[in-house]
Amino acid sequence: MKYLEGLLLPALLALASVATAKDAPFVETTKFDNELVNLLYFDDSAVALVQELQTGKIWRSTDAGKRWKELKKQQGLGILKNPYDNKVALILSEEKHWITYDQGESWQDFKTEYPPSPQGPVSWHAQDNKKILIHELEDCFTRPCLGTTYYTEDGFESAPKKLTDDRRMCQWAKGSERFLEGQDKHDSRILCITKGRFSDRSKDFRLLMSDK
């Protein structure tokens, strides 16, 4: 057996080197003028988005990064993908934002009054891709930091509606795939932690529920 192993190992190494040379990966180089951030792939597809850090320009590829095309009308602070739907993503900017439902082939714009929160600007609905919460930048001049949250139930086909302007945090009741899975009730329920009725001290925070 040791004799056979001594013969087989060099043979296998030789075959591996031939296969490596034959199946060497194809590398395509694309030059960008600025540093890139927020590389995002849509699952089970060849579509990707990436952002230039300095300019906010957004680029899209439909062939897994071989070629890139700039999105001329969209610029942003960041790109966020819906974790429950591989066709949906958001580009968030200062006040004007964009959403896609076809992996960036087309975009719908909408506006908020202030920039998005850096602490978590979006809350997704796990079972309905049209239901989204957008959280604006918090006011931290007084403690604790509180902010405004908007909601949409039609994927921003109409202007987002204000939910609350004194929230610490808000999320959909169906904000995860397992919670209330298979149940039709509470599809539009939102839970928020907000300031107290008579005080904004954290010990007086309230948990509120809204079915709008």
Side-chain angles (χ1 to χ4, degrees):
M1 181 61 70
K2 290 182 178 180
Y3 178 72
L4 290 176
E5 289 176 352
L7 289 176
L8 286 173
L9 183 57
L12 291 173
L13 289 175
L15 288 173
S17 63
V18 172
T20 301
K22 182 179 178 180
D23 301 328
F26 175 79
V27 177
E28 183 76 19
T29 302
T30 303
K31 183 179 179 181
F32 292 89
D33 294 332
N34 296 287
E35 180 181 351
L36 299 179
V37 293
N38 295 330
L39 176 62
L40 178 155
Y41 269 93
F42 291 96
D43 296 339
D44 303 317
S45 78
V47 181
L49 299 174
V50 73
Q51 177 186 0
E52 288 188 13
L53 178 62
Q54 289 85 350
T55 65
K57 292 180 180 179
I58 309 295
W59 297 78
R60 180 173 183 262
S61 173
T62 58
D63 53 11
K66 184 178 180 181
R67 290 176 293 269
W68 294 90
K69 182 179 180 181
E70 182 185 350
L71 303 181
K72 296 294 185 181
K73 295 183 179 180
Q74 289 80 29
Q75 287 187 335
L77 301 172
I79 313 169
L80 294 174
K81 184 175 64 171
N82 186 330
Y84 310 114
D85 191 321
N86 73 339
K87 295 185 180 297
V88 182
L90 278 165
I91 297 174
L92 298 178
S93 190
E94 293 285 345
E95 297 171 11
K96 186 176 182 179
H97 321 285
W98 296 266
I99 189 167
T100 179
Y101 282 93
D102 53 13
Q103 298 183 337
E105 187 68 29
S106 61
W107 296 87
Q108 170 69 44
D109 66 85
F110 65 96
K111 292 184 178 181
T112 55
E113 187 175 358
Y114 297 108
S117 169
Q119 301 181 22
V122 179
S123 294
W124 305 95
H125 194 290
Q127 299 176 22
D128 188 337
N129 62 14
K130 299 288 186 177
K131 291 180 172 145
I132 303 169
L133 301 180
I134 298 290
H135 311 300
E136 283 187 342
L137 182 69
E138 290 81 7
D139 179 3
C140 295
F141 285 106
T142 58
R143 296 294 184 183
C145 299
L146 300 171
T148 298
T149 290
Y150 293 84
Y151 72 93
T152 180
E153 295 184 296
D154 60 10
F156 300 106
E157 291 181 15
S158 60
K161 301 175 182 178
K162 183 181 291 189
L163 177 67
T164 178
D165 57 7
D166 59 1
R167 60 108 183 106
R168 187 67 182 93
M169 64 167 292
C170 289
Q171 67 177 49
W172 296 99
K174 290 188 174 181
S176 68
E177 290 179 307
R178 293 183 179 275
F179 190 70
L180 297 173
E181 183 178 10
Q183 300 186 38
D184 293 332
K185 61 182 180 180
H186 307 319
D187 282 342
S188 296
R189 177 161 294 179
I190 300 171
L191 304 174
C192 291
I193 296 175
T194 71
K195 74 174 185 179
R197 181 172 296 178
F198 304 109
S199 166
D200 60 3
R201 298 171 65 183
S202 58
K203 72 179 186 66
D204 296 321
F205 279 0
R206 297 176 295 167
L207 176 62
L208 301 182
M209 177 189 72
S210 171
D211 290 318
K212 301 181 301 306

